[in-house]
Amino acid sequence: NEKYVKATELLAQLMPRYRATEKAENLNWLNAQSYFKMKDYFSASTYFKSYVDTYPFGKYAEEATFMGALCDYNISPRAELDQENTRNAIEGFSLFMTRYPYSPRIEECKKYMKELQERLVEKSYLSAKLYFDMKQYKAAITALTNSLKDYSDTEFREEMMYLRLSSLFQYAENSLAVRQKERYQATLDDYYSFMEEFPESKYSRDVKRIFQRTSEYLKTGNIEPVANNQ
């Protein structure tokens, strides 16, 4: 790492001096590469992208486009944290695939993008589940519906659909009497959607309980609302 630190220090002195010369492109490329070798991915990402902006048709433009996205991939955090760098990496790999559709790195880009997309899915799932755990059922319904729409083929689909059904049920249970019928009906509709996709679900016991309670209300209309009216 020490040699790359020295390289960046030297390049910092040389780059302004050769800015308007033929050597500038190589110096910018070497600078970005040096930061990457130092594993300073934040700086490397900035310099690779700066190279592409300055030399869009330069001899290292293709490699720099890929490396900029790879830097963002390397600093993409675990799902619990903010996913700005994850989105930046996806955007970067997508840009690379658009600009260089015949590159031998296309499959590598697809692999990275799939992994990054799953991270966004997990983030979306965790955020929605947090609302459920906090008993903020209305917010949970909205968040889970959006997550299921945006990431329809997620590995968390069964649990997310169960959490939405449970949220709808709890929202109905805790509603004012005048609003319960429509909310229990929404619960019943969601129950049928859930059972259509997951007839042998691991949540079957609780789903059956929700169905029985919901059906009882819709048939008799005499279940009193519980606390925390909404």
Side-chain angles (χ1 to χ4, degrees):
N1 269 1
E2 187 176 342
K3 67 178 180 179
Y4 295 115
V5 172
K6 290 181 178 179
T8 57
E9 291 173 351
L10 177 60
L11 287 164
Q13 298 174 31
L14 294 175
M15 286 166 63
R17 190 181 306 173
Y18 292 96
R19 182 170 294 150
T21 71
E22 293 180 359
K23 295 181 179 180
E25 181 180 350
N26 281 337
L27 292 173
N28 276 276
W29 171 249
L30 289 172
N31 189 53
Q33 285 277 58
S34 296
Y35 278 101
F36 184 83
K37 296 290 187 181
M38 290 163 56
K39 297 185 178 180
D40 181 351
Y41 299 122
F42 284 99
S43 298
S45 174
T46 299
Y47 288 121
F48 280 125
K49 291 173 185 177
S50 176
Y51 173 93
V52 174
D53 289 341
T54 307
Y55 309 102
F57 303 104
K59 56 185 174 181
Y60 304 112
E62 180 175 341
E63 183 73 3
T65 303
F66 176 83
M67 294 299 290
L70 184 61
C71 288
D72 289 331
Y73 167 83
N74 284 332
I75 55 181
S76 173
R78 64 182 188 274
E80 293 88 344
L81 303 177
D82 181 77
Q83 295 298 306
E84 180 181 357
N85 291 115
T86 301
R87 294 185 182 89
N88 289 342
I90 290 172
E91 183 180 334
F93 286 125
S94 180
L95 176 65
F96 180 88
M97 292 170 67
T98 300
R99 287 185 178 175
Y100 308 104
Y102 303 108
S103 168
R105 281 186 153 158
I106 291 296
E107 291 305 314
E108 190 177 358
C109 287
K110 289 179 179 178
K111 183 193 74 171
Y112 285 133
M113 287 183 69
K114 182 177 180 181
E115 180 184 339
L116 293 163
Q117 286 284 2
E118 280 301 315
R119 203 167 297 171
L120 291 183
V121 172
E122 187 177 357
K123 172 66 173 180
S124 179
Y125 157 74
L126 290 172
S127 297
K129 189 175 185 299
L130 181 62
Y131 285 122
F132 180 84
D133 292 340
M134 294 171 65
K135 299 183 179 181
Q136 295 183 18
Y137 298 118
K138 185 176 181 180
I141 293 164
T142 300
L144 288 160
T145 298
N146 289 338
S147 294
L148 287 163
K149 180 181 178 181
D150 293 340
Y151 309 108
S152 59
D153 59 348
T154 171
E155 63 179 295
F156 302 107
R157 184 170 180 81
E158 181 178 358
E159 183 172 0
M160 290 171 75
M161 287 192 68
Y162 163 71
L163 289 174
R164 183 175 67 179
L165 174 61
S166 187
S167 295
L168 283 162
F169 174 68
Q170 292 293 343
Y171 191 45
E173 287 274 285
N174 288 278
S175 293
L176 293 167
V178 70
R179 296 177 179 172
Q180 280 191 301
K181 184 176 181 180
E182 64 181 278
R183 291 174 181 174
Y184 275 119
Q185 185 60 56
T187 302
L188 186 64
D189 293 343
D190 209 58
Y191 162 81
Y192 287 121
S193 295
F194 181 89
M195 291 303 296
E196 184 177 357
E197 282 199 46
F198 304 104
E200 305 294 332
S201 174
K202 60 184 177 181
Y203 303 108
S204 291
R205 178 178 294 183
D206 196 44
V207 168
K208 183 178 180 181
R209 179 187 65 82
I210 290 172
F211 171 72
Q212 290 173 338
R213 173 84 173 174
T214 300
S215 297
E216 179 186 353
Y217 174 85
L218 291 173
K219 286 178 181 177
T220 65
N222 62 0
I223 297 177
E224 293 298 322
V226 294
N228 300 322
N229 288 341
Q230 298 182 52

